[in-house]
Amino acid sequence: MRYLIILVFLVFYACDSAQNKVQEPVKREKWAIAIHGGAGNIRPEDFKEGEVELYEKELKAALEIGKRVLSEGGSSLDAVERVVRYLEDCPLFNAGKGAVFTHDGRNELDAAIMDGRDLNAGTIAGVGDIKNPISVARMVMEQSPHVMMVGKGASKFAKEHGAEIVDSSYFYTERRWKSLQKALEKAGKMGTVGCVALDQNGNLAAATSTGGMTNKMYGRVGDVPIIGAGTYANNKTCALSATGHGEYFIRYTVTHDISALMEYKGMSLQKAAEKVINDKLEKVDGRGGVIGVDKNGNIALVMNTTGMFRAFAKASGEEGVSVFR
Ligand code: ASP
């Protein structure tokens, strides 16, 4: 009888622990998207009345563009390009129209796009006459044998491939620029734009576009067009777009570091992003943030600044827009 009780107990225990070992099925979103419009040490009092709402309105409009592409079965690459194009055309943000000025009063724009399927990428840097740098970055990726093109060569390539070329005065927005300058002077001159997306085929893509940092030196290139620094996508892990003090994001290869922590250490996107932004960068006073989406549609919006213009949406209906931390 005693043996029977022990046997029953052992069988029960074995079944119970087997059950405990059964892993929850991984929840995968059909599609997911996140966007940013720059990070900085901003406080509500830095904005004029109605200004924050204006940013939120534009972020929502950009989000709708991406949601439509993804919910209709379009590719993550199309989604991130169209969203970033919209934000480049919006003078509120530091990309395309409304880009910040260099020390000598010019606009030198950087942009990058990356396809998580095959790690293909296209980037341009230091251009001053291309209306939508993100689309030319995509042309570099798809229609040239190269990854990165800069300055005059990038402009020549853009012209030859039918991109819209504008006079440098196109980027100038006096009223908005001056008021934004004043409002954000102390806050670190933010406004870079970015988008990451997972599509219904499980493909990830990332895109980032910027005017760089206000008062930057001629010829300075930031993290945005450096693959693995400001922009990265890999179907094995995640898609990421960063914003912040570019020099730190380059030196700490921020977006690739986050992906590598996921790939080699099995960390979640959220944990990996927190490790890099809130620990590694924080320790050296590297300010900024990152948006990411992983291969299952989990989203991370992580910053070590007091704010980052950001928004996200998932096929399940979850979505949000926020500015402050
Ligand atoms: N990361 C950009 C750069 O350094 C600027 C920004 O995101 O605000 O060029």
Side-chain angles (χ1 to χ4, degrees), residues 261-306:
L261 285 172
M262 293 174 71
E263 187 174 355
Y264 304 129
K265 276 204 149 185
M267 276 192 187
S268 70
L269 169 64
Q270 182 69 30
K271 286 251 154 62
E274 282 173 6
K275 171 84 192 151
V276 177
I277 301 293
N278 294 337
D279 182 14
K280 287 175 119 173
L281 278 191
E282 178 87 41
K283 279 184 185 140
V284 292
D285 210 23
R287 295 282 149 214
V290 75
I291 57 165
V293 56
D294 73 12
K295 59 183 179 181
N296 296 315
N298 296 303
I299 281 173
L301 311 162
V302 177
M303 77 216 76
N304 63 24
T305 48
T306 56

Side-chain angles (χ1 to χ4, degrees), residues 137-181:
R138 187 168 177 176
M139 287 172 187
V140 171
M141 175 171 81
E142 292 175 340
Q143 299 173 46
S144 90
H146 306 301
V147 168
M148 187 172 201
M149 296 184 84
V150 304
K152 283 191 188 128
S155 292
K156 186 167 187 268
F157 173 83
K159 269 176 223 152
E160 283 169 7
H161 288 77
E164 194 171 344
I165 301 297
V166 289
D167 185 76
S168 57
S169 58
Y170 165 80
F171 301 107
Y172 189 82
T173 52
E174 192 175 12
R175 189 175 65 86
R176 295 214 191 275
W177 169 237
K178 277 189 177 160
S179 64
L180 195 63
Q181 276 282 76

Side-chain angles (χ1 to χ4, degrees), residues 10-76:
L10 283 175
V11 168
F12 179 79
Y13 180 78
C15 289
D16 191 49
S17 58
Q19 254 173 17
N20 281 343
K21 272 189 195 131
V22 172
Q23 297 255 312
E24 287 272 314
V26 177
K27 195 174 155 260
R28 187 183 174 278
E29 290 284 344
K30 247 172 126 184
W31 56 261
I33 184 166
I35 64 182
H36 74 75
N41 280 327
I42 41 164
R43 300 154 304 170
E45 55 270 31
D46 294 324
F47 294 87
K48 287 190 195 139
E49 209 191 312
E51 218 174 2
V52 171
E53 289 72 20
L54 210 57
Y55 278 99
E56 287 175 348
K57 189 176 146 256
E58 291 298 353
L59 287 170
K60 274 187 202 151
L63 193 65
E64 286 307 317
I65 293 170
K67 278 168 64 181
R68 202 171 323 123
V69 173
L70 297 169
S71 61
E72 287 172 0
S75 73
S76 51

Side-chain angles (χ1 to χ4, degrees), residues 35-36 62 65 78-90 95-96 111-113 132-135 193-196 206-210 241:
I35 64 182
H36 74 75
I65 293 170
D78 284 342
V80 297
E81 183 193 355
R82 283 189 211 162
V83 165
V84 169
R85 265 186 87 100
Y86 180 84
L87 294 169
E88 283 176 341
D89 290 343
C90 174
I113 194 162
N132 291 107
I134 199 65
S135 296
V193 304
C195 180
V196 292
T208 320
S209 184
T210 187
S241 170

